[in-house]
């Protein structure tokens, strides 16, 4: 894989931003990768969590090694502490990542597919929430996976709420005092999509039973199932930790509709 660090100007944020990009590169280990394979590439937008940045997945998981034999592009944007939202203080991170970034990717990397069936979102914690939020509020992504997704930022999860001040939460979560109608409420986005008779993406959710977000994950997964929305869910022992996210990253790669080729393991 080729690893590119990209600085670009965001019109949504009116500032310079950063992202990491992984692109498949033909080498002696991938002799069958021809021009046809390396054009119209499927792409994974890999979203980071609340305490991380765009480098976290590269530093804390086996990501690059796992996909070294798979023709797929990976985009790792930086969402800061935004909850992938257009905040009340004027920083439009949702517009930056959900709307503008795919256009920037198309401009810089025309070999990456713009087809819905080849565009995917994956995230952990805040990034899992962001992956679902963008998948539900646009029609550009066909698969969305979450690992320990922070699906419920309305203020009832006391551990999550304790991480930052109320001033912060009121700034990043719109209409937090009227969360039922908030554009940042995943259940509200589901109901809107159902009312518009739009196609839902395929969802994947993993969360550990010892994770402080377990109850929120179970609640949202059941919410989707009750509405016959496709979701693959796995709840195992585990905590809110990179050990588990790294472990289940490979499960996500096997679930996505890509030509994932696992590394050879003799033991």
């Amino acid at each position: 894989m080729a690893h590119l660090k990209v600085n670009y100007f965001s019109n949504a944020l009116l500032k310079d931003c950063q992202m990491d990009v992984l692109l498949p590169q033909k080498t002696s280990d991938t002799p069958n990768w021809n021009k046809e394979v390396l054009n119209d590439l499927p792409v994974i937008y890999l979203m980071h969590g609340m305490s991380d940045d765009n480098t976290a997945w590269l530093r804390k998981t086996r990501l690059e090694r796992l996909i070294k034999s798979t023709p797929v592009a990976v985009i790792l944007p930086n969402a800061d502490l935004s909850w992938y939202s257009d905040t009340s203080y004027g920083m439009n991170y949702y517009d930056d990542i959900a709307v503008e970034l795919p256009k920037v990717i198309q401009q810089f990397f025309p070999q990456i597919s713009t087809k819905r069936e080849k565009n995917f979102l994956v995230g952990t914690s805040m990034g899992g929430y962001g992956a679902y939020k963008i998948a539900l509020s646009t029609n550009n992504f066909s698969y969305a996976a979450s690992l320990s997704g922070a699906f419920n930022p309305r203020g009832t999860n006391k551990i999550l709420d304790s991480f930052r001040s109320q001033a912060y939460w009121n700034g990043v979560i719109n209409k937090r005092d009227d969360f039922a109608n908030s554009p940042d409420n995943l259940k509200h986005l589901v109901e809107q999509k159902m009312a518009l008779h739009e196609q839902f993406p395929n969802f994947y959710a993993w969360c550990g039973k010892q994770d402080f977000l377990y109850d929120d994950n179970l609640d949202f997964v059941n919410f989707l199932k009750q509405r016959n929305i496709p979701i693959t869910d796995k709840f195992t022992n585990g905590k809110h930790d990179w050990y588990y996210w790294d472990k289940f990253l490979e499960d996500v790669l096997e679930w996505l509709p890509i030509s994932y080729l696992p590394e050879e393991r003799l033991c």
Side-chain angles (χ1 to χ4, degrees):
M1 303 297 290
H3 176 199
L4 293 78
K5 299 193 74 68
V6 180
N7 290 75
Y8 69 100
F9 185 81
S10 168
N11 291 298
L13 294 169
L14 296 177
K15 65 182 291 290
D16 289 329
C17 294
Q18 303 81 37
M19 62 177 162
D20 286 84
V21 178
L22 297 179
L23 291 174
Q25 178 183 4
K26 184 175 181 178
T27 68
S28 58
D29 293 325
T30 55
N32 295 325
W33 285 4
N34 54 29
K35 184 177 180 180
E36 182 178 353
V37 171
L38 295 176
N39 279 324
D40 202 39
L41 283 168
V43 57
I44 301 169
Y45 286 82
L46 202 50
M47 325 291 269
H48 69 78
M50 192 173 176
S51 61
D52 294 309
D53 62 13
N54 51 295
T55 69
W57 282 97
L58 294 169
R59 292 185 292 113
K60 300 177 181 180
T61 76
R62 301 165 293 156
L63 170 65
E64 189 169 350
R65 200 185 84 217
L66 288 176
I67 63 171
K68 67 179 181 179
S69 301
T70 302
V72 63
V74 181
I75 310 299
L76 301 105
N78 187 6
D80 200 39
L81 286 164
S82 68
W83 284 78
Y84 301 88
S85 296
D86 288 342
T87 69
S88 65
Y89 48 87
M91 296 301 289
N92 296 329
Y93 275 95
Y94 173 85
D95 286 346
D96 171 53
I97 294 174
V99 179
E100 185 176 344
L101 184 59
K103 297 176 183 177
V104 172
I105 295 301
Q106 183 180 8
Q107 178 185 358
F108 290 170
F109 307 105
Q111 73 270 39
I112 293 179
S113 182
T114 60
K115 298 173 182 174
R116 181 181 184 272
E117 61 267 24
K118 290 190 172 186
N119 275 252
F120 321 120
L121 294 153
V122 179
T124 181
S125 195
M126 180 187 80
Y129 163 85
Y132 276 30
K133 177 180 177 178
I134 294 172
L136 286 167
S137 58
T138 70
N139 291 304
N140 300 328
F141 300 91
S142 57
Y143 284 69
S146 166
L147 303 174
S148 299
F151 294 147
N152 182 17
R154 74 178 186 270
T156 55
N157 188 310
K158 299 306 179 185
I159 296 178
L160 179 63
D161 215 41
S162 69
F163 291 162
R164 295 282 165 171
S165 69
Q166 288 306 301
Y168 161 79
W169 287 112
N170 291 335
V172 297
I173 304 300
N174 292 279
K175 298 178 69 175
R176 204 168 187 234
D177 58 345
D178 181 24
F179 197 66
N181 299 303
S182 171
D184 296 328
N185 181 351
L186 296 183
K187 291 182 178 180
H188 179 62
L189 294 177
V190 168
E191 291 168 349
Q192 282 188 327
K193 206 167 190 69
M194 291 181 68
L196 293 171
H197 303 288
E198 293 179 344
Q199 183 179 2
F200 277 88
N202 294 282
F203 289 112
Y204 173 104
W206 173 86
C207 190
K209 295 179 181 179
Q210 292 76 32
D211 195 314
F212 68 92
L213 296 175
Y214 171 70
D215 289 339
D216 292 338
N217 273 255
L218 190 61
D219 175 73
F220 190 68
V221 166
N222 287 335
F223 178 85
L224 293 179
K225 287 183 174 180
Q226 289 165 5
R227 287 153 182 79
N228 296 316
I229 296 169
I231 183 165
T232 298
D233 60 291
K234 296 190 177 182
F235 296 102
T236 68
N237 288 326
K239 297 182 179 180
H240 202 78
D241 188 86
W242 277 104
Y243 169 80
Y244 300 99
W245 303 332
D246 179 52
K247 178 179 180 180
F248 282 91
L249 172 60
E250 189 163 16
D251 199 52
V252 171
L253 294 172
E254 292 173 347
W255 169 77
L256 288 171
I258 58 177
S259 301
Y260 177 58
L261 182 62
E263 61 188 352
E264 183 180 10
R265 296 167 185 167
L266 301 180
C267 61

